[in-house]
Structure formats: C-alpha cells, structure tokens
Amino acid sequence: MKIKTKEISHSLLKEKEIELFVKRIDLVSPFVSGNKYYKLKYNLLEAKKQNTDTILTFGGAYSNHIAATAFAANKKGFKSIGIIRGEETLPLNDTLSFAKENSMEFHYVSREEYRQKHTEGFINKLKDRFTDFYLIPEGGTNNLSIKGTQEILDVNDTQHFICTAIGTGGTISGIINSSSDNQKVLGFPAIKGSEDLEKDIRSWTNKQNCKLITDYHFGGYAKISEMLIQFILDFYDKNNIPLDAIYTGKMMFGIFDLIKKNYFPKGSSILAILTGGLQGNKGMNDRFGLNLPHNF
Ligand SMILES: *Cc1c(COP(=O)(O)O)cnc(C)c1O
C-alpha cells in the first residue's frame, strides 16, 4: 500500500528551522478511518480463522471505530453488532446511518450499563443474547490491533520526532514498537487525565522513547473551541489537508504551539501521523453548525 507523506510549508517552520511532514494514513480508505484500518486488519483475520460470522463492538453514536468496523466487517462478509452508548435518537446521525447502510445491527445500552462493558457479567449477557461473535473492545484496541498499528511506520519514516493523537493508546503503542531508538514519539491525548493511559501504553510497548503531551485536549474528549476550529479551517485552506476536530486537529494545533515555544531544537524534523477521523467532522458540523472538511 502506498501512503503519501507530504511536507508542510509555513513561515513559522522556516523561521524556527523545523521540517514538518504529514503521513496521510487517512487516505488508506475513505470509509475505514486511517488508524482504524490497521487496528481492524488482524482482528478480522483472526475472526475468520475462528469461523465466527459476527463482529461485536462498542462505541458512542459518533464513533469513528463504529463506522470503520461496520464498513470493514461488511466488506469482509461478516455481520456486525454495535453496542451503542445511550438512547436511540431518530433520525440516525450520519455515523450510525453509515453503519446501518453497512448492515450493522445496533443494541443501545444506558451509560451506566455501558460502563460495565468490560465485566464478565456484561459480556456473558451479550453472549446469551447474540450467541456467537468475535468481540473487539471499544476503540478497537487489543494485542492484534497493536500488531496492525506497528505497520503504520516504514523504513522511510526517519524523522527525529513522530507525533500522533491518542484515544485508547493502541495506535501510539504500535508506532512506538516500530520506531527506532533514536526517534522520539510524542503522543497527544484527546482525553483529559492520562495516568491510566500511560500505564496501558507501557503494557503494550517495550521501549521508553515516548512522551505524552497533555496540554492540548481542549477540555476533554470531543470538546472544541473557536480557536481550534479556526486552526483546522486555516490549515485546510493553506494546505488542502483536512484535520478532524477530536484527534488530529488538536495534535496539529499542539505541534504548532510547541514549535512556537521552541520545544523542538533547530534542525529537527517532525512526522505527524494523520489518523483520519474525518467522518466525525460531519457530526460536529451537524451539532454545532460548523463547516469542517470531511471525506464522505
Ligand atoms: C480512534 C482514533 C484515534 C485514537 O486511536 P487509539 O488507538 O485509540 O489511541 C486517533 N485518531 C483518530 C482519527 C481516531 O479515529
């Protein structure tokens, strides 16, 4: 698969003598959002091997993971079940309409129940109800997805710094595992509070060359501000590269802010991974009357 890497030009980069590249894994598939393609790859192969015909997973009503799983499962000939947090709202939003078009069956659970989703009791209840399925956790992160995200970097990605957005930590863990020791991997959590996240990432990786940059979550998961939205619109205007409001927009905002603050030594090169998530911009546009770029 050919992944495009593109250099970004900007007066700030020139002034600070920094090279910034973006790796557009968002272009891997318009429907399986960037990193989710890598996270699903070996899970779907394993499900085939186990002869299951149904994939079951979890997510919120705007989840990139739900959209990606519905599409990829359907394409590979699986049925899929989405355990969706919260009550059904009709008409379905764009994310869930898309998942439904890809034959996903929804099962709505209350927020309290949803919090139990990792427990044996809850999973046994699902097994009673849906008989045989292959379970993929929320956000799609398990050992097989990390095997997949290890394929995001390749031998050409030799920059000093690799930057990526973080949700559950599966993507950055794969990236850390395939980075070289003299590279530094910077993770930008999209959520507030990252103590557990550090622990999780440590359990999935065997290297120390990473650092979490926790100042750019903009108040928490899916929280936005006018400054962030303006940044995304400007970036699209200047570079014709779309960023999403939940993950890659916040990361890129953080990268530029750190460059301004001289975080990176002169002469550094940076590779930012564009993990996709653009279907989520549609939901943002609907809910907040915005005009963010999206891909389908
Ligand atoms: C899901 C997602 C992430 C987070 O990936 P994790 O493996 O959960 O850390 C980052 N960027 C985008 C666009 C995503 O959809």
Side-chain angles (χ1 to χ4, degrees):
M1 193 187 319
K2 185 97 183 75
I3 307 292
K4 274 201 209 152
T5 293
K6 185 175 180 284
E7 181 161 11
I8 303 294
S9 56
H10 191 283
S11 53
L12 179 71
L13 298 168
K14 217 178 244 165
E15 179 200 326
K16 303 285 188 183
E17 295 177 35
I18 302 286
E19 288 179 328
L20 173 61
F21 300 86
V22 290
K23 184 158 191 165
R24 295 207 56 188
I25 67 169
D26 61 308
L27 296 176
V28 164
S29 154
F31 302 116
V32 187
S33 166
N35 63 334
K36 301 302 189 286
Y37 169 89
Y38 295 87
K39 297 180 79 168
L40 288 166
K41 179 177 170 186
Y42 290 104
N43 276 295
L44 294 182
L45 286 172
E46 178 61 24
K48 244 286 116 105
K49 216 167 29 180
Q50 292 180 10
N51 266 322
T52 28
D53 64 356
T54 303
I55 306 293
L56 180 143
T57 195
F58 309 86
Y62 294 93
S63 163
N64 295 331
H65 169 67
I66 287 289
T69 303
F71 181 82
N74 193 37
K75 195 158 168 233
K76 299 280 181 201
F78 294 100
K79 288 185 258 182
S80 66
I81 299 167
I83 308 297
I84 309 296
R85 183 184 57 225
E87 274 167 34
E88 180 179 37
T89 310
L90 293 174
L92 293 176
N93 70 33
D94 285 319
T95 302
L96 295 183
S97 299
F98 175 77
K100 192 172 176 191
E101 279 161 28
N102 285 282
S103 310
M104 183 175 264
E105 178 191 328
F106 303 129
H107 179 69
Y108 294 89
V109 300
S110 69
R111 282 163 193 275
E112 296 83 70
E113 260 187 288
Y114 192 82
R115 254 178 255 126
Q116 308 295 315
K117 65 186 176 302
H118 300 298
T119 63
E120 211 181 308
F122 186 77
I123 291 171
N124 281 338
K125 258 201 263 171
L126 293 175
K127 280 184 183 153
D128 288 344
R129 186 175 166 135
F130 299 112
T131 59
D132 191 32
F133 57 77
Y134 181 88
L135 185 145
I136 300 182
E138 183 186 40
T141 297
N142 57 16
N143 287 332
L144 285 175
S145 55
I146 290 163
K147 180 176 172 187
T149 56
Q150 284 172 192
E151 297 178 358
I152 291 174
L153 288 188
D154 64 53
V155 289
N156 299 314
D157 300 325
T158 55
Q159 289 82 358
H160 301 110
F161 293 90
I162 314 288
C163 296
T164 191
I166 303 182
T168 59
T171 301
I172 194 172
S173 295
I175 289 174
I176 293 166
N177 287 342
S178 58
S179 66
S180 63
D181 293 337
N182 56 11
Q183 289 178 308
K184 185 113 191 160
V185 181
L186 302 181
F188 294 75
I191 48 168
K192 209 154 85 177
S194 43
E195 298 76 29
D196 288 349
L197 205 50
E198 287 211 58
K199 231 179 17 207
D200 290 345
I201 293 170
R202 234 177 284 128
S203 77
W204 291 318
T205 56
N206 39 29
K207 296 166 96 121
Q208 309 295 328
N209 59 335
C210 95
K211 186 171 175 0
L212 298 194
I213 308 281
T214 55
D215 305 327
Y216 300 102
H217 55 65
F218 286 80
Y221 187 74
K223 297 275 195 305
I224 54 173
S225 76
E226 214 156 292
M227 199 164 57
L228 174 68
I229 299 303
Q230 200 49 52
F231 176 83
I232 292 171
L233 294 174
D234 282 348
F235 195 86
Y236 186 60
D237 219 35
K238 292 206 181 78
N239 304 293
N240 200 28
I241 295 175
L243 303 172
D244 82 295
I246 296 180
Y247 294 104
T248 56
K250 293 180 180 182
M251 167 193 68
M252 193 59 78
F253 185 99
I255 293 171
F256 271 87
D257 197 49
L258 291 175
I259 292 170
K260 263 181 227 153
K261 294 174 172 159
N262 300 315
Y263 179 87
F264 301 101
K266 258 191 174 87
S268 298
S269 55
I270 304 168
L271 179 67
I273 310 294
L274 297 192
T275 39
L278 297 164
Q279 71 87 29
N281 278 359
K282 273 186 148 183
M284 285 284 175
N285 289 346
D286 284 350
R287 274 178 291 172
F288 304 111
L290 304 171
N291 196 22
L292 295 167
H294 54 77
N295 52 349
F296 65 90

